[in-house]
Amino acid sequence: MSGHSKWSSIKHKKGAADAKRGKLFSKLSKAIIVAAKEGGPDPAGNLALQNAIEKARSYSMPKDNIERAIAKGSGADADGTSFEVVVYEGYGPEGVAVLVEALTDNRNRTASEVRHLFTKHGGNLGTTGAVAWQFERTGLVLVRADGADEEALFLEAAEAGADDVTLDGSTFEVSAPPESLVPVREALEAAGFNIESAALAMVPKVTVSIADEATAKKIVRLVEGLEEQDDVQDVYANFDIPEAVLEAVAS
């Protein structure tokens, strides 16, 4: 499993008691608003909206919040018009590739803050195209391994359109084409599997192994700092840090 997926799994486990939950819901709402504004309010015909809703659901965002965001994005007075999608690319400690996706109404402000965070945590912001080629957009469903039958999981996932199922530690990672994310998640949920999260992700094609805890801490602090920035929606990195080390350094 990619380091990003392990990190996502750990974040979801900690999410129920996350003091920043209100801030997280605000970011999720922004993504839904923009998707609804650009592609319409019907998830069936708007893949971006469908995936934004899926991500919100995976963080247990209330249905009412989701519906309000869709209404706001598709209404005549929609406030999603001023936001634009911006992608930042750079490197963290040990040459770890980092991809940052943001929704911003002030490109200069966001770029300045993202650059500062890279510098503060021992990395550097690169130019467009610097690291994006190292990642591939994929639908990821993380399933708790405890009590799950791997063969049954594989069969259900494959039938619903998934590409692969892999086990790493306490979690199964089910990968699928972006358009198959929702049907795969729904099929696994209906079959009784314990879903930890379901979302689109930029999955690294090649990873950088990090076993040293001090270095891992620097990388995690960079990722956390970027994730906490108000305009940042998602952060992806190609580190491969053992789950036990990630658990140890996660704040």
Side-chain angles (χ1 to χ4, degrees):
M1 189 190 298
S2 69
H4 168 269
S5 300
K6 294 178 194 172
W7 180 239
S8 296
S9 179
I10 289 170
K11 284 192 301 177
H12 275 83
K13 290 174 185 175
K14 296 176 180 293
D18 190 353
K20 299 167 187 169
R21 202 164 187 77
K23 184 175 181 179
L24 171 63
F25 284 174
S26 176
K27 289 187 176 189
L28 295 169
S29 291
K30 187 192 293 186
I32 293 171
I33 289 169
V34 172
K37 176 65 181 178
E38 293 181 350
D42 182 7
N46 183 345
L47 184 60
L49 177 58
Q50 191 177 102
N51 289 321
I53 292 171
E54 190 69 16
K55 182 178 178 182
R57 288 183 72 249
S58 79
Y59 280 101
S60 301
M61 185 171 168
K63 183 179 179 182
D64 287 349
N65 293 41
I66 293 173
E67 291 177 348
R68 278 198 300 272
I70 294 172
K72 190 176 289 186
S74 58
D77 60 343
D79 63 0
T81 53
S82 61
F83 293 111
E84 62 176 321
V85 178
V86 184
V87 178
Y88 301 98
E89 305 176 42
Y91 290 94
E94 298 299 317
V96 168
V98 182
L99 196 64
V100 182
E101 296 181 345
L103 282 174
T104 180
D105 58 357
N106 187 325
R107 181 187 285 257
N108 292 334
R109 179 199 67 224
T110 307
S112 175
E113 293 181 6
V114 168
R115 182 177 293 107
H116 169 72
L117 287 164
F118 268 98
T119 302
K120 176 181 178 181
H121 295 287
N124 61 282
L125 185 62
T127 57
T128 300
V131 304
W133 58 273
Q134 299 184 52
F135 296 83
E136 182 176 19
R137 180 77 68 181
T138 304
L140 288 182
V141 182
L142 301 185
V143 179
R144 190 170 301 170
D146 184 32
D149 183 306
E150 183 172 5
E151 184 176 353
L153 174 63
F154 182 86
L155 291 174
E156 288 285 352
E159 188 172 337
D163 291 326
D164 197 15
V165 177
T166 56
L167 172 65
D168 186 40
S170 60
T171 308
F172 282 108
E173 178 185 273
V174 181
S175 58
E179 63 274 12
S180 298
L181 173 64
V182 173
V184 168
R185 191 270 305 162
E186 289 177 343
L188 297 183
E189 205 170 47
F193 291 101
N194 194 330
I195 308 297
E196 289 188 351
S197 67
L200 285 184
M202 293 297 285
V203 176
K205 300 174 184 176
V206 179
T207 58
V208 177
S209 295
I210 304 292
D212 176 64
E213 189 168 313
T215 303
K217 183 174 288 189
K218 290 180 183 178
I219 294 169
V220 168
R221 294 297 173 267
L222 169 60
V223 172
E224 285 183 327
L226 290 166
E227 288 176 335
E228 290 170 10
Q229 201 278 335
D230 287 344
D231 300 322
V232 170
Q233 286 285 314
D234 289 294
V235 180
Y236 306 106
N238 71 340
F239 60 77
D240 183 14
I241 301 173
E243 188 170 352
V245 177
L246 277 177
E247 289 277 8
V249 302
S251 63

